[in-house]
Amino acid sequence: MSAKAIAVEIPLNTCACGTCHEAVGPKAIYRPGHDARHVSALLGGLINTQQDGKPVTKALINAEAKALPSEALRAKFTRAAERLVAKHAEADAQEVRAE
C-alpha cells in the first residue's frame, strides 16, 4: 500500500502593513518588521497633512492610531506622532525667531 500525498491549502492572510500585500501565516498579522512599516506609513500621512498646511491634532492622531491592531503599536505610533508634531512646532518657532 502506498500513501498518497494530499495537497492541503492553508489559507493565508495578507500582511496588514498596507504596503507589501504579502502573505502571512494564519495566526500572523504582519510579516517580520512590517508592523514598523505600518506605523511609518501612517506617520507619512501625518507629514503630508502638515505639508498641506493643515494642523495635526490629538484627535487626528487618535483616529489614525485606530488603524493599528494592538495597543502597543497604537502607543508607538502616538509617541512618534507627538514627536513629529513637536519637531514641526520647533522648526516653526525657529523660523519666527530668524525673521
Side-chain angles (χ1 to χ4, degrees):
M1 228 196 236
S2 65
K4 287 187 176 182
I6 300 173
V8 176
E9 285 189 41
I10 299 172
L12 298 175
N13 298 324
T14 303
C15 181
C17 73
T19 60
C20 73
H21 309 292
E22 294 180 20
V24 295
K27 293 183 180 180
I29 297 172
Y30 297 105
R31 300 216 17 102
H34 287 218
D35 54 340
R37 187 184 278 194
H38 193 180
V39 169
S40 294
L42 292 176
L43 285 173
L46 293 180
I47 290 170
N48 289 340
T49 300
Q50 284 182 332
Q51 289 175 344
D52 291 342
K54 298 175 186 169
V56 176
T57 63
K58 282 270 195 190
L60 178 61
I61 292 171
N62 291 334
E64 291 290 323
K66 289 181 182 178
L68 296 165
S70 72
E71 187 59 40
L73 274 179
R74 285 189 287 276
K76 180 179 182 177
F77 169 75
T78 301
R79 285 190 309 270
E82 288 171 353
R83 283 192 307 270
L84 176 73
V85 169
K87 184 178 178 181
H88 190 267
E90 178 66 26
D92 286 348
Q94 286 180 358
E95 284 180 17
V96 170
R97 280 185 242 143
E99 293 176 357

